[in-house]
Every structure is written in structure tokens, then in C-alpha cells.
Amino acid sequence: MSNCFDYSSDDTEDDDQYGEEEINCDEYDDDDFYNSDDQYSGRNQLSDYASEGTNRTDSEEESFNSNVVDSPGGKTKLWKPIVPNDFMPDVDAIYQPLEEAVEMYKLYADKAGFGVRLNTIMRFGDKTIKKRYVVCNKMGKIPNKSTDTLDPEGSGRNKRNSNFKITDCKTLIKFERLHMQTNACKIYEFEENHNHPLETKEERRYSKRARRLSYKDKEFIVRSSTSNIGATKAHKLQASLQGGYENVGPEAIDYKNFRRKVGNIIGDKDAQLVVDKMNMRKDELHNYTFEYKCVDSVLNAMFWADETDKLYYKEFGDVISFDATFRTNKYGMIFVPFTAIDNHKRSINIGAGLLSNESIESYCWLLEAFLKAHVKHPQLVLTDQDPAILQVIEAIFPTSNHRLCMWHIMKKLQAKVCIFWSTLTRNMFYSSMIYIVYIFLITISIHIVYS
């Protein structure tokens, strides 16, 4: 989550004689975390005092990737980052364009162990940028009194409580374009000493930059949600895939925040997104069928079947089965798969639908959509003992035979037959009943096919 503060910059200059406009803007760095192989190399170069080991203070222990130096007045300590020379800003270098210079300083800050944000902008008369300040993210005036985060100033407006500390750090870099006709710029001021300890290797993974979600992270969250996997479980899966939580930059709360943002963007347009996607398939795919019904602008039912489903039904559609007992989606809609058996005795899908309820009207619409897609009637339909389905099959499939599903028969057998017997007798009875019902169904099917 982004923390927003009302910072004010003390680094202002009066350049009105050039017709320039000065803008003080505090923008957090929004770029992705640099995943270079040597991203922690700057932390391994310890200062001389760090090698002594036992004589180090607690503050020195926290900032082993920096040298502690005294301020000019000698009253405070300053922390000077230890960064390889390849990443140090070159005061004499010319950068083109300005964005390249800003990226260079962001990479330097990442190696040093502190965050940055964009600050003051000064422009030419044609509104193009002349000067750009990039400062430490702990720059700003320190509040001189504590604030009640629950009810500040008795206004009734809540403010977010944050552990982020402002230390009025003066670390900054200032870039200036050479002239209006070019994008080349140079560094005209660079302050590298901080008034606070820098991030350690252990703290680096909790920084805002390290916790930023990459495109792959966002894609993983969205794809997990489509598989009914929440943000917290998605974070655990990512940690398992990466070999541990320390190898995953974003935290679980970052996953949850992004998932919430995606949900807010979709809002109440989720049903329309599904309908648009299915209509697009209908337009682009050959022999694709999609039907849907709305009641009071609310998606009430839908049915779809692709070309493969239709080919399966053409060859193996004499006996079909459909069940309406699936309510595992978050909308509570009833998923109705239509199933047949191929010549290898495997279950094959010949269509599917979603219903908002199990009324006779809904089943009528669904079977009419099924018949519209597949044209011919099945010879045998196997379902559960739902009276609404029985009425609909008689009305929509008048030439088809309706039988109850074997699984439902055996499931209700024990409840319907109230007999006390031993385990051996019960098992023998079940085996006999299964065999009898199986032979009965096979006989009926053969009779229907060859009649």
C-alpha cells in the first residue's frame, strides 16, 4: 500500500527571469524493483569499523552498508552509502534524456539501501522541464506534535496510521537540462550523506520498492482468482514455487490489495465481461453456440457448446446425463454439465449451462438452448429425482426416455430401505442390487437403440 505524506521542499530557487515555473511535487518511485544479479553487492562492502566486530554500536550494526561520519558541526552523525563506483552518480557526466538520469539515481539508491521520490520541477517558458530534483523518501519536515490517528483535531475524519518516519534527510540530487533545444542534462548538485541509518539486507525485502508487484505477480493473482484461489493462498503458492517467503518480494497484504483493486475495477460489470467474452468466441470460432437470458438486467441463465461438443453429441448422443447439483462458484449459480459416454467408456462433455435457480422455467430455457445447438433429441436421458426436471424432459424431449441416475438410486437406497442386517449381508445386498439395476439399464438401453 502506498503511504502518502504532505511533504514540502526547502530546495527552491527563484528563476523567474527565465520565465520558468517551479512546481514542488512529491511522487513516489513507481518503477519495478531492479532484479539484477548484483543487487545486494553494495551491502557486502563493509567499512573499516565494521570489520572490528565487537566494538560496533547498535546504530552501526544497523547500517553495515554505509560509513558513519560526523556532520560539519560535529553534533550529529551522518551515514554515507557504500556503493560500487559503477553505480555512483558522475557529476561530470552528460545524461540524455532526463529520464535516463533519474533512472540512474534510482538504481544508485537501490544499491545504497534507501528509497527515493521525485520532488521539485522547474520548467522553461514552453513548459518543458529544466530542472528536476530527486530526494530521499525520508525528506520532509518532522511533525512537532503527535497526532491522534483515530480522531485528529476532533474532525471525525480518520487518518491512516503509519510507521514510516520522516527525518528531514537532506540527501538529494539535482539535474539541469543544458538548454531548451536539447534533452541532455547534467548534475549540478549532489548530496549523498543521510541523517538516518540505511536499509540492511534483511530490511530490504520490506521496502516499498522490493514489495512492488511485477507484471508476473499481477498475472499470477488474477489467474489464481479465476481458479477460486484467494490472494493469501496465491501468496503461499508463490512462496512455495520460489523456495521461501524471503524470495518473494511482495507481502500477502500486497496481494490482497491488488486483488481488491481488480475487484473494484470490475465492479458490477463481471457478468457483462463474461457475456462479451462468450460472444467474441461465438463470432470468432466456427460452429460455437452461446445463449443467455437476462431478467431485469441481471444474468439469469446461459448455455454454451463448441464444435467439439457438437461432434461428440452427433456420434455419442443417444444416451446423455446432466446434473444440477454444483453450486461451488461465488455467485451461487447452478452449473449444469451435459455428459455422454464415448466408445472408450469415457465421460465426454457435450455442453454446459449456468442457472440462477432450479425452476421449471429455467430448465425449459436450458433444454431449449441445448436442443437449438444439437438439433436432434437424445434417446435416453439420465438425471436425478428432481420433479421439475421430470416435467421439463416430458415437455421438451417428448420422444426421449427418462431414467434415474444409478448413483442417486444407490445413495438413497439405504435411507428408503429400513432393514437391520449385518455388514456381510448388507454388502451382499448392495452388490446384488447394483448388478440387477445395471443389467436392467443395459437392457433398456439396448432395447431403445435397436428398436
Side-chain angles (χ1 to χ4, degrees):
M1 294 186 293
S2 301
N3 296 324
C4 300
F5 303 90
D6 185 14
Y7 292 103
S8 60
S9 174
D10 296 331
D11 304 305
T12 57
E13 299 183 12
D14 187 8
D15 291 330
D16 292 337
Q17 64 269 27
Y18 299 104
E20 298 165 346
E21 176 185 3
E22 180 179 341
I23 302 174
N24 190 321
C25 61
D26 297 310
E27 306 171 21
Y28 279 103
D29 172 25
D30 289 333
D31 296 324
D32 290 332
F33 181 59
Y34 288 95
N35 292 314
S36 57
D37 295 334
D38 56 349
Q39 57 185 357
Y40 298 130
S41 60
R43 307 171 197 163
N44 298 326
Q45 301 185 23
L46 307 183
S47 57
D48 295 337
Y49 78 90
S51 61
E52 297 175 1
T54 57
N55 297 326
R56 290 158 56 183
T57 62
D58 293 338
S59 61
E60 291 170 347
E61 180 76 18
E62 296 175 354
S63 301
F64 69 97
N65 58 331
S66 60
N67 277 324
V68 180
V69 297
D70 292 330
S71 62
K75 297 181 180 180
T76 59
K77 287 185 177 181
L78 299 177
W79 281 261
K80 182 178 180 180
I82 301 174
V83 176
N85 293 331
D86 295 341
F87 300 98
M88 285 292 296
D90 188 355
V91 180
D92 299 325
I94 301 297
Y95 300 93
Q96 187 171 0
L98 177 62
E99 290 75 12
E100 178 185 338
V102 174
E103 291 299 323
M104 175 275 303
Y105 189 68
K106 289 177 181 178
L107 182 57
Y108 159 78
D110 180 60
K111 302 297 181 183
F114 67 95
V116 298
R117 57 187 172 87
L118 306 179
N119 196 255
T120 302
I121 299 177
M122 286 188 283
R123 302 180 183 272
F124 289 108
D126 60 353
K127 302 300 181 181
T128 58
I129 297 177
K130 180 186 178 183
K131 296 180 181 180
R132 169 59 110 174
Y133 298 175
V134 185
V135 301
C136 175
N137 64 351
K138 293 184 181 292
M139 186 276 283
K141 294 183 179 179
I142 304 175
N144 37 14
K145 65 177 181 179
S146 60
T147 303
D148 184 359
T149 58
L150 297 179
D151 190 14
E153 301 177 0
S155 61
R157 179 182 177 185
N158 294 339
K159 290 186 178 180
R160 179 182 297 170
N161 187 14
S162 173
N163 293 325
F164 188 84
K165 296 181 180 180
I166 304 171
T167 63
D168 195 22
C169 182
K170 300 300 182 182
T171 301
L172 83 165
I173 191 170
K174 298 181 180 181
F175 300 102
E176 180 181 24
R177 281 174 59 190
L178 300 181
H179 50 79
M180 293 178 59
Q181 286 72 31
T182 181
N183 290 327
C185 65
K186 66 177 182 178
I187 300 173
Y188 75 94
E189 184 175 341
F190 173 48
E191 174 59 48
E192 60 177 330
N193 294 330
H194 298 257
N195 65 354
H196 57 87
L198 304 182
E199 296 171 350
T200 65
K201 182 177 180 180
E202 291 73 18
E203 297 170 340
R204 189 70 61 91
R205 61 184 292 255
Y206 300 108
S207 66
K208 183 175 182 293
R209 190 178 187 86
R211 291 176 57 179
R212 191 167 306 281
L213 291 168
S214 65
Y215 177 81
K216 290 184 177 180
D217 290 326
K218 296 176 181 178
E219 184 182 22
F220 184 78
I221 296 171
V222 173
R223 291 186 178 275
S224 298
S225 65
T226 59
S227 301
N228 207 22
I229 299 175
T232 303
K233 288 186 177 180
H235 186 263
K236 292 180 180 180
L237 287 174
Q238 189 71 275
S240 178
L241 293 173
Q242 299 297 332
Y245 288 97
E246 66 277 4
N247 298 324
V248 181
E251 298 293 317
I253 189 65
D254 301 316
Y255 275 51
K256 294 169 67 176
N257 290 341
F258 178 76
R259 180 66 187 89
R260 185 187 67 245
K261 291 178 181 178
V262 172
N264 291 338
I265 293 173
I266 295 175
D268 56 357
K269 302 184 292 295
D270 47 358
Q272 186 62 49
L273 291 173
V274 173
V275 171
D276 292 343
K277 184 173 183 178
M278 300 298 276
N279 281 327
M280 181 182 66
R281 291 183 178 180
K282 183 178 179 181
D283 296 336
E284 295 180 355
L285 300 179
H286 176 67
N287 203 16
Y288 190 91
T289 297
F290 170 64
E291 302 288 341
Y292 70 98
K293 181 181 72 169
C294 293
V295 177
D296 297 330
S297 301
V298 177
L299 184 63
N300 183 263
M302 57 188 296
F303 171 82
W304 66 94
D306 59 15
E307 184 178 14
T308 304
D309 297 340
K310 295 180 180 180
L311 291 176
Y312 280 151
Y313 183 78
K314 182 179 178 181
E315 298 295 331
F316 311 107
D318 296 329
V319 180
I320 68 169
S321 171
F322 67 92
D323 196 358
T325 58
F326 303 96
R327 289 178 181 265
T328 57
N329 56 84
K330 65 180 181 180
Y331 300 99
M333 295 190 74
I334 305 160
F335 178 61
V336 186
F338 291 85
T339 309
I341 303 296
D342 65 3
N343 55 328
H344 297 288
K345 297 183 180 181
R346 296 180 303 183
S347 297
I348 53 176
N349 184 49
I350 55 175
L354 283 173
L355 300 176
S356 60
N357 56 70
E358 295 187 81
S359 64
I360 295 177
E361 181 183 0
S362 297
Y363 281 127
C364 279
W365 181 91
L366 181 64
L367 293 187
E368 287 174 354
F370 177 88
L371 190 58
K372 183 179 178 181
H374 296 298
V375 182
K376 73 172 185 176
H377 291 225
Q379 296 188 24
L380 179 64
V381 182
L382 300 175
T383 67
D384 59 6
Q385 208 170 4
D386 190 337
I389 295 179
L390 177 61
Q391 297 182 40
V392 172
I393 291 177
E394 292 178 350
I396 306 301
F397 297 150
T399 61
S400 302
N401 293 281
H402 178 230
R403 295 293 181 269
L404 298 181
C405 176
M406 181 69 177
W407 183 85
H408 291 91
I409 293 175
M410 300 310 301
K411 183 177 177 64
K412 294 184 178 181
L413 181 63
Q414 186 175 0
K416 299 297 182 181
V417 181
C418 185
I419 300 176
F420 296 95
W421 47 36
S422 64
T423 304
L424 179 61
T425 306
R426 183 173 63 250
N427 292 338
M428 292 175 61
F429 176 79
Y430 280 158
S431 300
S432 301
M433 287 299 300
I434 291 174
Y435 179 76
I436 293 170
V437 175
Y438 179 75
I439 294 299
F440 174 76
L441 292 177
I442 291 295
T443 305
I444 293 297
S445 301
I446 294 174
H447 175 72
I448 292 173
V449 171
Y450 291 100
S451 60

